[in-house]
Amino acid sequence: MDWHNIQTALEGEPGFRLKQVKKALFVDLIDDWDKVTVLPKKLREELAISCPLDIPAQVFHSKDEATVKVLLTLSDGVQIESVLMRHSTGRNTVCVSTLVGCPMGCTFCATATMGLVRKLTSSEIIAQVLFFSRLLSKENERVGSIVFMGMGEPFLNYDVVMDTVRILNDPEMFSIGARHISISTCGILEGIQKLAEESLPVNLAISLHGSNDEVRKQLMPIARTYTLKELMTVIDGYIEKTHRKVMFEYLLVEGINDKDEHAIELAHLLKGKLCMVNLISYNETGKYTATTEQGVERFKKLLRKNGIEVSIRFRFGRDIEGACGQLATKSSK
Ligand code: SF4
């Protein structure tokens, strides 16, 4: 299923056809051109040949059914992951990939071991959301929010990501509110500055994972390009411009960034900012050990005691290779 090919195929048709097709594919979630009966039979037959609607994927369900992970095979044979997280509140969140592999080299990340294979197109990103929309529609449910936190650094594919955001937000297509869309970056300053200028109020998340430059450098090579001071200055500018709360993601890794002094240092770093911290338990991929549950709780309490709003991210899909890139890297091997 390639949305750009479909648009190209409809170029010679009257304008209302595009509207009809958008409704059929993104609202009615039809996966067979023959069922789009508002279109003339001849056009349906042509589209069935030139623009197939299938989305080839292997599907993995966690035992508790809270997580569904898919390995999508793209037209050139490469594979990417996407995850559906079914929250107890009833909200369904899809975590999408933006690159095949990633060149950023974070040392805790399975995707990083692939390097950059290529960037995804917006059609390939929306196919990930469409796959889960179709799946959920069988239970009369829908995708409620999107996080750009899958394989790849989204700001390395900035224009495509923003095109995708507009498609997700389009009332004639997915109609997902900008407030329910979050983009997570490892800290590419130019991307944060550009996002501050966008008219759509999407959320910004920063993968921080360290309370000082030395710790951050151990986990994230980008810390050698930009210091925390530079990152915080740009984030202050973003908050001043948008008045939107920034989410700092902090992956807890035993012995590296989870000591009491790190929690206190982090609280000082973020004090007074319009922000919150989301603590993430590490899904072990071989190199590091995860902080214990008690350790995560202790870190949370210390942050809270020091005036920082904090939550702990529920661990989704540990039994189905929950960490980003684990399935795709296994598959490519
Ligand atoms: S954590 Fe994100 S930015 Fe870092 S290597 Fe993995 S995918 Fe890339």
Side-chain angles (χ1 to χ4, degrees):
M1 146 89 202
D2 188 313
W3 174 235
H4 285 111
N5 279 355
I6 294 169
Q7 284 172 288
T8 309
L10 292 172
E11 260 163 20
E13 298 292 324
F16 63 85
R17 288 276 176 246
L18 185 65
K19 234 177 157 64
Q20 290 174 324
V21 168
K22 276 185 181 178
K23 181 172 180 298
L25 301 189
F26 300 105
V27 180
D28 303 335
L29 300 169
I30 290 173
D31 59 3
D32 178 354
W33 284 113
D34 212 31
K35 292 182 191 154
V36 191
T37 49
V38 288
L39 301 181
K41 194 163 190 300
K42 190 167 174 293
L43 180 59
R44 279 185 267 153
E45 285 168 356
E46 282 166 10
L47 288 168
I49 294 165
S50 61
C51 305
L53 294 180
D54 61 318
I55 303 173
Q58 284 170 264
V59 186
F60 304 82
H61 292 263
S62 64
K63 284 198 194 91
D64 62 4
E65 296 290 329
T67 313
V68 185
K69 196 158 186 172
V70 292
L71 195 57
L72 298 180
T73 304
L74 306 181
S75 56
D76 56 357
V78 297
Q79 292 186 307
I80 50 159
E81 291 175 20
S82 304
V83 186
L84 168 68
M85 293 166 283
R86 310 190 72 174
H87 301 269
S88 52
T89 55
R91 177 171 289 281
N92 295 304
T93 301
V94 172
C95 175
V96 292
S97 294
T98 52
L99 307 176
V100 185
C102 184
M104 299 311 294
C106 301
T107 56
F108 53 83
C109 172
T111 303
T113 61
M114 296 170 78
L116 175 64
V117 179
R118 71 169 172 86
K119 296 179 180 183
L120 295 184
T121 64
S122 56
S123 289
E124 289 167 334
I125 304 176
I126 62 169
Q128 300 170 49
V129 182
L130 192 56
F131 182 90
F132 287 118
S133 299
R134 288 176 183 174
L135 192 89
L136 288 168
S137 72
K138 292 180 189 141
E139 300 172 31
N140 281 329
E141 290 200 35
R142 67 183 296 265
V143 175
S145 53
I146 303 290
V147 290
F148 286 82
M149 291 184 190
M151 297 169 72
E153 160 57 51
F155 286 160
L156 293 184
N157 202 5
Y158 187 92
D159 292 340
V160 162
V161 165
M162 290 317 297
D163 270 355
T164 309
V165 165
R166 283 183 276 275
I167 291 171
L168 294 171
N169 184 248
D170 186 336
E172 290 184 348
M173 298 174 82
F174 290 99
S175 195
I176 297 172
R179 297 270 182 202
H180 299 299
I181 299 174
S182 300
I183 302 178
S184 172
T185 177
C186 65
I188 299 207
L189 304 193
E190 298 80 359
I192 300 169
Q193 284 161 330
K194 272 165 97 174
L195 193 68
E197 302 297 327
E198 297 285 348
S199 52
L200 279 173
V202 294
N203 304 304
L204 172 67
I206 306 286
S207 297
L208 196 64
H209 312 324
S211 54
N212 63 53
D213 284 320
E214 287 321 302
V215 170
R216 232 174 153 247
K217 276 181 202 164
Q218 282 185 60
L219 298 170
M220 310 177 77
I222 192 163
R224 292 187 209 126
T225 309
Y226 305 119
T227 62
L228 265 183
K229 193 164 181 276
E230 288 166 329
L231 177 61
M232 291 302 149
T233 303
V234 168
I235 289 169
D236 286 343
Y238 171 90
I239 294 172
E240 202 178 302
K241 172 99 193 165
T242 63
H243 307 289
R244 291 200 291 275
K245 189 185 274 187
V246 171
M247 163 94 80
F248 287 98
E249 297 168 277
Y250 196 98
L251 185 77
L252 282 157
V253 184
E254 190 183 75
I256 306 278
N257 64 359
D258 64 346
K259 299 189 182 120
D260 290 359
E261 67 246 37
H262 295 132
I264 292 160
E265 193 173 36
L266 182 61
H268 282 147
L269 184 72
L270 302 182
K271 195 133 209 144
K273 290 193 198 308
L274 181 61
C275 74
M276 68 171 295
V277 173
N278 194 20
L279 296 177
I280 308 166
S281 301
Y282 180 51
N283 272 318
E284 291 178 12
T285 55
K287 185 160 177 157
Y288 300 111
T289 308
T291 301
T292 60
E293 268 178 44
Q294 297 91 308
V296 175
E297 268 303 319
R298 187 181 165 84
F299 204 91
K300 182 181 97 176
K301 280 193 186 133
L302 268 170
L303 284 178
R304 206 165 264 171
K305 199 172 144 202
N306 284 278
I308 301 295
E309 185 184 339
V310 55
S311 63
I312 297 177
R313 189 194 293 175
F314 178 70
R315 278 182 165 188
F316 279 98
R318 296 194 72 201
D319 54 332
I320 49 167
E321 309 289 8
C324 144
Q326 273 181 304
L327 275 179
T329 46
K330 259 193 183 174
S331 172
S332 70
K333 275 172 198 160

